[in-house]
């Protein structure tokens, strides 16, 4: 099962790269011109995300560097310990929606210290595999089209993140 | 909400750093953050350009529309406001497939292409549309069948069974995705009822 999915992942992009131009050619589309015409927007789309990402990543960066994140983790850990949530993985839970790179760094550190097959190691692996960098994705996606009012998107993302966290904790206790 | 979170993070950080007598960290971290952001955006140029070219070809060949038709039962439920066979649906499906397979180099550009299409339907407004909120809810809670990065890290630190977390990952994501779709529905009703 796992091997099959892995193979699909490896082949997906080469196959798209083969099939799409070929199908277009059969339909008598001028392939080179059409590709260039579409690709023209690439630069502006990417550059448009700069102000939004700068705003977001500056806040995330100072939050982490100032020690506020650690303080928040220390504050909540006594309560969370009671429900079987190890304090060591809390920084990961806080960082995960904000920064993919920072969360991965924390996860790698925990795995290194506690061992990949320990309960904490498996829990943090599950947490890393499940959730996404919600805030980062919202900023990037909305930013690329100039959306400034996110309406309820943040609330939805946070509810999903909290659920995933609770579900990871539950299933880790059940399985490991 | 994003205004409060953003301001809160900055204000708290400066108070904490100031109280610890370590205020220089703020200046350094702020510019480091800005630097990372610009680097991320710059690195997007190449993959965005590539995928926008491929997507234009796929559209001209009728493949995007065909893909949109194929998944209509699901997308009609999730995105009632998008006209059927609209290119946005094709891009959304491509983005979610790339997410499931863990292809981050394809997932982000496809997602941005989907947002572009959704923004056309949104009349270039500065406010998110219903469909955008649903798309981001599904996108950020999306199932990853192969969490490649973390499996690699587990392997690196000598795990006996690096893939043992795949099952738990799928279970937890499935829970998150269910809540994301449900919460999106509920919030959409509340917001539209309040006329926002």
């Amino acid at each position: 099962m796992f091997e099959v999915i892995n193979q699909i992942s490896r082949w997906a992009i080469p196959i798209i790269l083969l099939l799409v131009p070929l199908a277009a050619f059969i339909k008598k589309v001028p392939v080179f011109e059409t590709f260039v015409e579409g690709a023209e927007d690439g630069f502006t789309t990417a550059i448009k995300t700069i102000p939004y990402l700068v705003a977001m990543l500056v806040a995330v960066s100072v939050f982490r560097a100032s020690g506020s994140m650690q303080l928040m983790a220390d504050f909540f850990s006594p309560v969370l310990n009671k429900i079987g949530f190890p304090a060591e993985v809390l920084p990961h839970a806080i960082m995960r929606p904000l920064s993919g790179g920072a969360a991965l760094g924390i996860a790698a550190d925990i795995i290194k210290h506690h061992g990949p097959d320990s309960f904490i190691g498996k829990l943090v692996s599950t947490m890393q595999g499940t959730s996404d960098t919600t805030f980062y994705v919202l900023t990037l996606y909305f930013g690329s089209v100039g959306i400034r009012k996110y309406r309820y998107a943040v609330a939805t993302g946070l509810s999903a993140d909290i659920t995933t966290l609770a579900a990871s904790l539950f299933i880790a206790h059940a399985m490991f | 909400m994003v205004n409060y979170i953003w301001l809160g993070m900055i204000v708290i950080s400066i108070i904490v750093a100031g109280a610890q007598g370590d205020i220089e960290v703020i200046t350094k971290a702020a510019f480091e953050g800005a630097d990372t952001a610009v680097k991320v955006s710059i690195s997007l140029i190449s993959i965005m350009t590539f995928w926008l070219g491929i997507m234009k070809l796929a559209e001209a060949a009728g493949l995007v529309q065909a893909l949109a038709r194929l998944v209509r039962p699901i997308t009609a439920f999730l995105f009632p406001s998008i006209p059927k066979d609209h290119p946005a649906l094709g891009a959304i499906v491509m983005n979610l497939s790339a997410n499931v397979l863990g292809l981050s180099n394809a997932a982000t550009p496809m997602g941005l292409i989907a947002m572009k299409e959704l923004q056309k339907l949104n009349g270039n407004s500065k406010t998110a549309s219903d469909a955008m909120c649903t798309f981001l809810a599904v996108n950020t809670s999306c199932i990853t069948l192969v969490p490649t990065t973390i499996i690699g890290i587990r392997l690196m630190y000598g795990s006996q069974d690096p893939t043992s977390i795949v099952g738990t990952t799928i279970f937890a994501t499935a829970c998150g995705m269910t809540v994301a779709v449900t919460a999106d529905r509920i919030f959409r009703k509340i917001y539209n009822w309040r006329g926002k």
Side-chain angles (χ1 to χ4, degrees), chain B residues 156-177:
Chain B
M156 194 169 86
Y157 289 111
S159 172
Q160 297 300 313
D161 191 6
T163 56
S164 65
I165 51 117
V166 173
T168 50
T169 305
I170 292 175
F171 171 83
T173 338
C175 295
M177 209 164 174

Side-chain angles (χ1 to χ4, degrees), chain A residues 23-35:
Chain A
F25 183 75
I26 292 166
K27 291 233 169 149
K28 300 199 167 53
V29 173
V31 281
F32 184 76
E33 279 117 308
T34 310
F35 179 93

Side-chain angles (χ1 to χ4, degrees), chain B residues 12 25 32 42 49 53 79 92 131 142 151 187-188 192 196:
Chain B
I12 292 169
V25 216
E32 268 172 17
I42 298 283
T49 306
F79 304 101
I92 290 173
C142 189
I151 290 173
F187 287 138
R188 185 199 299 167
N192 289 343
K196 279 196 187 171

Side-chain angles (χ1 to χ4, degrees), chain B residues 48-72:
Chain B
M48 261 330 279
T49 306
F50 172 77
W51 283 109
L52 276 164
I54 292 289
M55 278 302 269
K56 189 83 181 177
L57 274 181
E59 228 175 276
L63 294 173
V64 182
Q65 298 85 329
L67 187 65
R69 218 169 300 137
L70 200 70
V71 291
R72 195 186 289 162

Side-chain angles (χ1 to χ4, degrees), chain B residues 8-26:
Chain B
M9 282 171 79
I10 293 179
V11 172
I12 292 169
S13 302
I14 291 173
I15 294 172
V16 169
Q20 289 173 339
D22 203 10
I23 198 72
E24 307 82 53
V25 216
I26 297 291

